[in-house]
Amino acid sequence: MEAQESIVVLENVKKYFDIRDSKGKKGTLKAVDGVSFQIKKGETFGLVGESGCGKSTLGKTLLNLFPITEGSICIDGQEVNQLKSRKEKVAFGSKVQLVFQDPSACLNPRNRIGAILAEPFKIHHKSSMSKQEIDQKIDELLTMVGLAPEYKHRYPHEMSGGQKQRIGIARALALNPEIIICDEPVSALDVSIQAQVINLLEDLQEKMELTYLFISHDLGVVYHMCDRIAVMYLGNIVELADKKALYEDTLHPYTQALISAAPTIDLEKTDRVVLKGDVPSPSNPPKGCKFHTRCPYAMPVCETENPELLEVKDNHFVACHLCKKTLREEIRK
């Protein structure tokens, strides 16, 4: 993939947190530990993994909510870690927005919906928009997400979970962003409401030419929504490919286990991959390949060398010593 085709470019991004254990001893939690990928303009890029793998932290780092420990994030040609002044950060906020996981927690319960949706305009267009213009924009946003303009007079507690998530989406769209980070936007909703919100996101993407980073642990939703998918484990990307290739030609043992664990109505399915042990702590990750302590195919090299994320097939990247060994054997043949 050529860099000029991409609106988001991450290079060796790391995000570490200083922590203390129960005895007061200092340590480092490596939430994101050297992540690189690119997102093309107009695509939906999926990021999946178990809870605690660092995917939400990566999304917030991309938003500049967390400062980068190391590496580079470039969005539409602009380095995120070089934003210094408040003016630059405010301008960046109009370009990249976030849809939160819990729609109830991200809306101020003391404010009416109209006041919540008016806030982005007051921050970014305080002197250039009249009250009437802001009110008109609020009506347009509510209509855009499938709600009547009258909803602006309600409080969040007077709305259902699906309606509140629509408000969250409307707020994210207020400033006409180019990129929206969806941090598990349907995980807190009923299945029937999930489908409505997903369809809404797809319709809005087509109408507004949006680019999505879609973070989720639901493989079914990710497969439906995304063009390409990256699988994350303990702060690292272990596999990245087009969604069809990822599901039909899965290479990394961890991805195989994730896909096999997805719920299915196929009663004859017997290819379940059960991983042994628990996910290691990101404050004390294993040496070498971080997955080797749970991998059924671990080799001696896995205990000492952390594999790089390399392209082993067309646009199919994997970080696995076994896959590289297999590929070398196939080339020799």
Side-chain angles (χ1 to χ4, degrees):
M1 186 193 311
E2 297 179 5
Q4 60 265 29
E5 295 179 355
S6 303
I7 191 170
V8 178
V9 180
L10 284 76
E11 295 288 349
N12 194 35
V13 173
K14 297 181 181 180
K15 179 55 193 173
Y16 297 167
F17 295 95
D18 294 328
I19 59 171
R20 291 180 182 270
D21 62 17
S22 57
K23 297 180 180 179
K25 185 179 179 180
K26 293 183 179 181
T28 302
L29 190 150
K30 299 180 179 181
V32 180
D33 194 19
V35 169
S36 300
F37 61 77
Q38 300 178 10
I39 304 176
K40 292 185 285 188
K41 185 175 177 63
E43 81 167 330
T44 301
F45 186 91
L47 189 61
V48 301
E50 295 173 278
S51 296
C53 71
K55 55 188 186 295
S56 292
T57 299
L58 181 60
K60 292 174 182 176
T61 303
L62 195 150
L63 270 166
N64 203 31
L65 295 178
F66 293 144
I68 304 169
T69 302
E70 189 178 314
S72 169
I73 297 177
C74 188
I75 296 180
D76 201 16
Q78 185 176 25
E79 288 280 353
V80 174
N81 53 347
Q82 292 182 1
L83 300 174
K84 302 298 181 183
S85 68
R86 184 180 182 278
K87 184 178 180 181
E88 289 177 325
K89 293 178 180 179
V90 168
F92 174 78
S94 66
K95 186 180 298 184
V96 186
Q97 286 290 308
L98 174 67
V99 175
F100 293 88
Q101 177 178 355
D102 186 353
S104 299
C106 70
L107 302 177
N108 190 333
R110 296 185 178 184
N111 288 346
R112 297 182 189 271
I113 299 304
I116 291 171
L117 294 180
E119 192 170 4
F121 299 110
K122 291 180 179 179
I123 293 174
H124 290 261
H125 304 289
K126 186 175 181 179
S127 59
S128 61
M129 292 186 71
S130 66
K131 185 177 179 181
Q132 291 75 17
E133 289 173 325
I134 292 176
D135 200 51
Q136 183 180 351
K137 281 288 188 181
I138 291 170
D139 291 349
E140 291 174 1
L141 286 171
L142 289 169
T143 303
M144 191 181 299
V145 297
L147 296 175
E150 290 74 22
Y151 277 79
K152 65 186 175 184
H153 302 298
R154 296 189 182 186
Y155 286 95
H157 73 269
E158 298 177 294
M159 307 179 74
S160 68
Q163 290 171 337
K164 282 185 274 192
Q165 191 60 289
R166 288 173 185 265
I167 297 300
I169 294 170
R171 181 173 58 184
L173 294 173
L175 300 172
N176 295 315
E178 297 180 47
I179 303 160
I180 294 183
I181 299 172
C182 302
D183 187 6
E184 305 209 33
V186 297
S187 63
L189 306 176
D190 294 338
V191 175
S192 59
I193 305 302
Q194 285 184 11
Q196 295 176 20
V197 173
I198 288 169
N199 290 337
L200 173 63
L201 288 170
E202 290 179 327
D203 291 342
L204 291 170
Q205 182 178 37
E206 184 176 350
K207 291 177 183 176
M208 303 181 67
E209 299 182 348
L210 296 167
T211 301
Y212 289 147
L213 171 60
F214 196 90
I215 300 169
S216 180
H217 63 269
D218 190 325
L219 293 171
V221 172
V222 170
Y223 184 81
H224 176 79
M225 277 287 298
C226 300
D227 302 302
R228 291 186 300 137
I229 301 171
V231 180
M232 197 167 183
Y233 182 81
L234 212 62
N236 292 119
I237 301 296
V238 297
E239 189 164 2
L240 192 163
D242 295 339
K243 66 177 180 182
K244 187 175 181 181
L246 190 78
Y247 278 74
E248 296 181 2
D249 188 20
T250 312
L251 298 179
H252 199 281
Y254 177 65
T255 311
Q256 293 171 358
L258 274 186
I259 293 176
S260 76
T264 177
I265 59 174
D266 184 2
L267 300 179
E268 297 182 358
K269 181 180 178 181
T270 59
D271 57 345
R272 175 70 191 274
V273 179
V274 181
L275 298 177
K276 298 180 180 180
D278 298 322
V279 181
S281 170
S283 61
N284 186 27
K287 294 181 180 179
C289 175
K290 294 179 180 178
F291 185 62
H292 85 264
T293 57
R294 305 174 71 196
C295 180
Y297 312 108
M299 304 178 294
V301 66
C302 302
E303 300 178 13
T304 57
E305 295 183 22
N306 190 26
E308 295 181 43
L309 186 68
L310 299 176
E311 185 175 13
V312 295
K313 297 183 179 181
D314 290 341
N315 296 316
H316 195 147
F317 300 80
V318 65
C320 179
H321 292 298
L322 178 63
C323 293
K324 289 192 288 184
K325 179 183 176 183
T326 304
L327 182 64
R328 285 197 298 266
E329 291 173 352
E330 289 178 354
I331 292 173
R332 290 194 191 104
K333 292 177 182 179

